[in-house]
Amino acid sequence: MKIVTYNVNGLRQRVSQFGSLLKLLNSFDADIICIQETKLRIQELSADLAIADGYESFFSCTRTSDKGRTGYSGVATFCRVKSAFSSVEAALPIAAEEGFTGLLGCSRKDEAASAVAEGLVEFSREELLKVDSEGRCIITDHGHFVLFNLYGPRAGDGDSERIQFKLNFFKILEKRWESLLCRGRRIFVVGDLNIAPSAIDRCEAGPDFEKNEFRTWFRSMLVESGGHFFDVFRAKNPNRREAFTCWPSNTGAEQFNYGTRIDHILCAGPCLHEEHDVEGHNLVTFHVKECAILTEYKRWKPGSATRWKGGWNIKLEGSDHAPVYPCLREIPDVSEHSTPSLAARYLPMVHGLQQTLVSVLMRRQATKQVKSDVVSSSFPDECIISGGCSHVKRSIANCDVNGTDISCRSLDQDSRNPILKVVGHSEDFKEEAACSTTIVFNEEYARPLPNKRTRKRARKSQQLSLRSFFQKSQNLDDGIENSTNDISTSQTGVLNSNNQSQEAPVMDDHRCGTMQNDTNGISSSQGQEEPDRPCSPTQNNTNGNASSQGQEEQDGSRYLEKQKKSDALLEWQRIQQLMQNSIPLCKGHREPCVSRVVKKRGPNFGHRFYVCARAEGPSSNPEANCGYFRWASTKSRTK
């Protein structure tokens, strides 16, 4: 049996990177895959993130509403099985639990849950719920052992609130482990604990490395310090150095493998063999074949041409952690069982709500009743539709009759969307003639028709385009035609005579004249004159001059626009040059530094500083970051 633990730094991103959840899980070729930092809220769980063919999954998501903690952390355990029901595979758990305090719910309430409650009586209910509120643990019982999938909290120096939270987290967790060990259970703990146990597990450990209280607690849990647990990786690789599983994501430390080992495999409890009391016969020696780090999942690969220059010049996909796995041997089958009820397949947001046949039929009946009410309320009593007949009531002016197919539309001329179609034969509508039709609803438009006031308000509230102001209106055209008809016959005769050019100014408000000036020409183009009226050659020349003048104005505006862009580009290049000249050079490599901004709350929050642009690495390596640092002269504006 192969178990993999992996901090994915966002499950959605890793699924996108591999193309699908199934491809991500299959890439490990493991029986149990424990994932941390899914960064999913419970309402964000969907089938593409939780369900994969051949796997059963169990999720714990954050429940807190604290600022910065929503949509953060989260763990998930995927178990590869051949059958989800009536299975004897040890990979499929016989029970599962969210959290480790016993308060969030189990798939099976047995004596183990009550034993845990007894072991945690010294803690208040508020304390227990708080440590389980961030989605940091999933427990699966595989018969021969209990598996803890953990994501340990991080606590920075000086953050007293998170330090206290982390202390309570591991203190309560230790009580839970003790309760299970007292009952003779075997325990495997996998995940990102955010603790490097020894100096060998940290790149260039500082002088205060050993004084860390969480490191002290971790080592007290190990067998060599009198505890119950084995550090499986270190037990199988006692002298391996630079075996890191996590690297800072913003310093390029992966290039020089400048990281830390905080992803662990721990195990405790008796050996599966009956002669477990023999000296040297323990769980690790006889049931752990190997334990290693999957370095191929690192973002930066040895021999890569990519170089850190204050930021990756090529975007590297992947997490800032590497997976770790142990291979177990001689793990026998368990008794026949099915998938626990905590599995993601049973979550409503993934599987959907269970529906009964009665509820489906009642919903359909209610839908038919609503549609019938819409039809009856949308048409007056005198509006009767007949199919297969030669007549339709005159009150429906907008109904298209085509044999037995009638497509009825809104009674208002502005409505162009069909509300219902009449096809076939039915007895729902009858008139004096023996006619029958069947009404088929278009659900998109099956809604009550608005009255005239509503439609008028809707038309008034519509936003008008600029072009609509220059288009002639129907009322203006009617007024022009009426005023034209009122002109005296003598004027009409004059216009039709050879002296038309002399009388043209009388009609220059409505017709094209031979002496029309530029202003009239512009008014004509803006809808003051009907476009279908003939214009004289003189006006054509005027329009031509206006067109050429407009073209010249367009060319001038384009030139000005290009000039502005050119000036802006030169100014930006000048600013860039000034910025380049103001950036200091690091002392180690004489290369331009990169600027950073302090984002941690405190007296220096928002202050800009400069550091060496190279990737972080050992101080003994001259190619690594030289450690140059300098404050900028002014603070950056905080957004």
Side-chain angles (χ1 to χ4, degrees), residues 272-289:
L272 269 70
H273 298 149
E274 294 181 359
E275 61 274 14
H276 62 271
D277 55 342
V278 178
E279 184 179 356
H281 200 101
N282 55 55
L283 196 59
V284 175
T285 305
F286 284 89
H287 294 286
V288 179
K289 182 179 179 182

Side-chain angles (χ1 to χ4, degrees), residues 469-481:
F469 288 99
F470 297 99
Q471 292 176 350
K472 65 173 185 175
S473 64
Q474 185 68 28
N475 296 334
L476 180 60
D477 293 340
D478 295 341
I480 292 174
E481 292 177 0

Side-chain angles (χ1 to χ4, degrees), residues 10 88 112 114 124 130 177 316 340 354 365 428 438 482 502 521 607:
V88 296
S114 58
S124 66
K130 187 174 183 179
W177 291 340
L316 299 181
Q354 184 74 22
Q365 184 177 2
D428 293 339
T438 300
N482 294 336
Q502 298 178 358
H607 203 146

Side-chain angles (χ1 to χ4, degrees), residues 25 63 79 198 244 332-333 404 413 417 432 451 548 559 639:
L25 299 177
R63 297 166 182 259
C79 304
S198 304
F244 305 136
D333 292 337
T404 60
Q413 292 183 358
N417 298 323
E432 296 177 359
N451 55 32
S548 62
Y559 174 77
K639 296 182 179 179

Side-chain angles (χ1 to χ4, degrees), residues 210-372:
E210 299 293 338
K211 298 179 182 179
N212 184 277
E213 53 189 328
F214 301 110
R215 213 175 324 279
T216 303
W217 170 84
F218 189 101
R219 287 206 292 264
S220 69
M221 301 295 296
L222 301 181
V223 172
E224 50 265 30
S225 299
H228 299 286
F229 286 87
F230 288 92
D231 182 348
V232 178
F233 178 84
R234 193 51 69 191
K236 291 295 181 181
N237 308 275
N239 300 317
R240 182 177 171 183
R241 307 186 68 85
E242 298 184 352
F244 305 136
T245 64
C246 179
W247 303 263
S249 59
N250 59 346
T251 63
E254 291 175 63
Q255 182 174 342
F256 298 104
N257 192 28
Y258 196 72
T260 182
R261 186 174 73 92
I262 58 177
D263 300 87
H264 300 288
I265 310 289
L266 307 177
C267 71
C271 180
L272 269 70
H273 298 149
E274 294 181 359
E275 61 274 14
H276 62 271
D277 55 342
V278 178
E279 184 179 356
H281 200 101
N282 55 55
L283 196 59
V284 175
T285 305
F286 284 89
H287 294 286
V288 179
K289 182 179 179 182
E290 61 176 340
C291 185
I293 302 171
L294 295 173
T295 55
E296 60 267 26
Y297 285 81
K298 290 175 60 176
R299 294 182 298 177
W300 190 89
K301 308 292 190 303
S304 174
T306 303
R307 180 183 173 187
W308 174 269
K309 294 181 179 179
W312 299 107
N313 53 5
I314 299 176
K315 184 180 179 181
L316 299 181
E317 289 187 314
S319 172
D320 53 350
H321 290 249
V324 186
Y325 75 92
C327 280
L328 309 182
R329 57 189 173 189
E330 298 184 21
I331 304 297
D333 292 337
V334 296
S335 58
E336 189 173 342
H337 63 286
S338 300
T339 301
S341 58
L342 193 67
R345 66 161 56 239
Y346 301 121
L347 294 176
M349 65 286 300
V350 175
H351 179 266
L353 296 174
Q354 184 74 22
Q355 299 181 4
T356 62
L357 183 60
V358 175
S359 65
V360 173
L361 295 177
M362 292 181 64
R363 190 180 300 108
R364 289 181 179 176
Q365 184 177 2
T367 303
K368 290 181 179 180
Q369 182 65 31
V370 170
K371 291 178 179 179
S372 176

Side-chain angles (χ1 to χ4, degrees), residues 36-78:
Q36 301 89 42
E37 207 170 351
T38 60
K39 296 184 178 180
L40 294 174
R41 295 178 295 174
I42 189 68
Q43 58 266 34
E44 294 176 330
L45 283 182
S46 55
D48 60 325
L49 298 175
I51 302 298
D53 192 19
Y55 293 86
E56 293 298 317
S57 59
F58 305 86
F59 280 80
S60 179
C61 301
T62 180
R63 297 166 182 259
T64 182
S65 58
D66 295 344
K67 184 178 180 181
R69 299 292 168 187
T70 57
Y72 180 71
S73 66
V75 294
T77 299
F78 293 87

Side-chain angles (χ1 to χ4, degrees), residues 528-570:
Q528 298 289 336
E529 184 179 3
E530 295 181 353
D532 57 348
R533 306 252 176 125
C535 297
S536 65
T538 305
Q539 185 184 359
N540 290 336
N541 294 334
T542 306
N543 291 337
N545 294 335
S547 175
S548 62
Q549 182 180 358
Q551 184 65 32
E552 291 177 359
E553 292 177 355
Q554 263 189 344
D555 294 340
S557 62
R558 288 175 182 171
Y559 174 77
L560 291 175
E561 187 177 354
K562 288 182 179 179
Q563 187 66 28
K564 288 180 180 180
K565 288 183 178 179
S566 178
D567 294 342
L569 179 61
L570 291 174

